[in-house]
Every structure is written in C-alpha cells, then in structure tokens.
Amino acid sequence: MKSLTIISLTLVISLFSCQGPAGEQGDPGPKGDPGADGLDGLEGFTFDYIVDFTSPDYASTLTFPETFQMLESDVALVYFVWGTTDNELEIWRQIPQTLFLEEGLLQYNFDFTIDDVVVFMEADFDMSVLGADYTDDWIVRVVVVPAQDASNGRIAGVDLSDYNAVKEYFNLQDLPVDKKYSSIHRPIGL
C-alpha cells in the first residue's frame, strides 16, 4: 500500500512540475466580413435578363454579376417567361424547349460555365423566317443552385422543370422585371 501511495504521489508531482509558465499572447487572427445567413447550407441565386435572338448566331451570353461567384459544383437552371395568364401571372418554362413548326424543328437551349450562361436557338431551317414572337424580348431567369444535394441531376422531391417548386425549395425571392415587359403575351402553343 505504501508503494502505491508513493507511485501516485510521484505521478501527481510529475504532472504539475512539467507545466511551465504561460507564453505571450499571440496576435489576433484576421477579421473578415460576416457572411450572409444561408438556408441550412443551401442557397439559390436568381438573375433575370431580357434577351433578343438575332442573326447570325441566334445566341446571347448572360454574364453573372461581378459580385457573384458560382462554384464548380453549382448548377444553372434556365427558365423563360413563356406567356402570361389572364390574371397577368407569368408562365415559366424550363429550357430546353422544342417546337414543331411548319418550317421544321426549333429548339431553345442553353449551356453554362461558372462565369456565364449562353442561351441559344437551333433549328433545322433558316431562322431568319421567324417573327419577333420567336426571337425578341424573352425574359430569361437563371437560377444557380448548389449541387451538393443533387443526385443524377435531380434533387429529391423537387421538380426542377417547375420554377415555382424550385423557388419554394430554395426560398428564392421574385425579382422585379422591367414593367414594359410585364404584359408579354406569347401564344401558349409557342
């Protein structure tokens, strides 16, 4: 018992005797701007553009604002105002959209990088025969969403083709669109 007490006492003395004096306080770390509060790590961003598709390429590059940084893992979704209801509610359609016209097939499509989105038209006929309803004053909404919850291009429980479902899931705010475009009426069949 005496040896156990001596060993315990030696151990306690060793622990306290190994501690030296406290060192000097280091310099404080860098201070940054506090970030925006997110929605449990999920945050979607919306950007609205007005687009005209003109010859020869029938394409438009939509550059993200300089204050926005898209991550390589993020995904861009693109929607057009396809028309309005009798109550002036906007009808949104996700692109790509393919139309079967008398002249042939016409498709509205897009591609994206971390810097921009390019919306474009493709057809199996000469697009110069198209009227302004097909080419002018398209309201385009680009939604950039985080892809960490996406699997095979899908987010569980969200119909990405339905802008209102995407808006609700990511708690997106509607952006005001220039009033001169608020009464666009494209034929629903367009």
Side-chain angles (χ1 to χ4, degrees):
M1 182 73 153
K2 194 176 199 182
S3 64
L4 183 60
T5 305
I6 292 174
I7 293 173
S8 298
L9 186 59
T10 306
L11 184 60
V12 168
I13 291 172
S14 297
L15 289 174
F16 285 109
S17 65
C18 292
Q19 184 176 6
E24 291 182 31
Q25 179 70 27
D27 292 332
K31 299 230 187 274
D33 295 331
D37 204 13
L39 176 65
D40 296 331
L42 295 178
E43 190 168 3
F45 298 90
T46 59
F47 304 100
D48 284 357
Y49 305 87
I50 306 296
V51 171
D52 288 336
F53 295 100
T54 58
S55 179
D57 56 359
Y58 294 91
S60 184
T61 301
L62 313 175
T63 305
F64 294 127
E66 288 181 20
T67 57
F68 175 75
Q69 177 61 53
M70 182 174 174
L71 302 177
E72 287 189 23
S73 60
D74 291 345
V75 175
L77 306 172
V78 180
Y79 302 87
F80 280 172
V81 170
W82 204 257
T84 54
T85 65
D86 292 338
N87 298 337
E88 302 279 329
L89 296 174
E90 296 165 334
I91 299 169
W92 292 96
R93 281 197 184 175
Q94 185 182 29
I95 60 173
Q97 286 288 319
T98 302
L99 304 177
F100 302 93
L101 305 176
E102 196 173 290
E103 296 84 0
L105 292 175
L106 172 65
Q107 185 175 60
Y108 296 94
N109 210 336
F110 77 101
D111 56 36
F112 70 92
T113 69
I114 62 170
D115 296 320
D116 58 37
V117 170
V118 177
V119 291
F120 55 92
M121 295 170 61
E122 298 176 297
D124 61 1
F125 60 90
D126 180 6
M127 290 186 285
S128 66
V129 301
L130 294 172
D133 279 350
Y134 294 94
T135 59
D136 295 352
D137 298 329
W138 283 93
I139 298 173
V140 180
R141 179 160 291 162
V142 176
V143 179
V144 178
V145 298
Q148 69 259 26
D149 284 347
S151 173
N152 296 326
R154 302 196 185 284
I155 297 175
V158 181
D159 178 3
L160 298 179
S161 68
D162 179 355
Y163 171 72
N164 290 317
V166 171
K167 176 182 161 186
E168 182 178 329
Y169 183 80
F170 288 103
N171 194 27
L172 301 175
Q173 301 300 313
D174 276 330
L175 301 176
V177 176
D178 189 327
K179 291 297 180 195
K180 75 177 185 175
Y181 296 102
S182 65
S183 62
I184 287 181
H185 291 277
R186 295 194 194 286
I188 296 301
L190 175 59

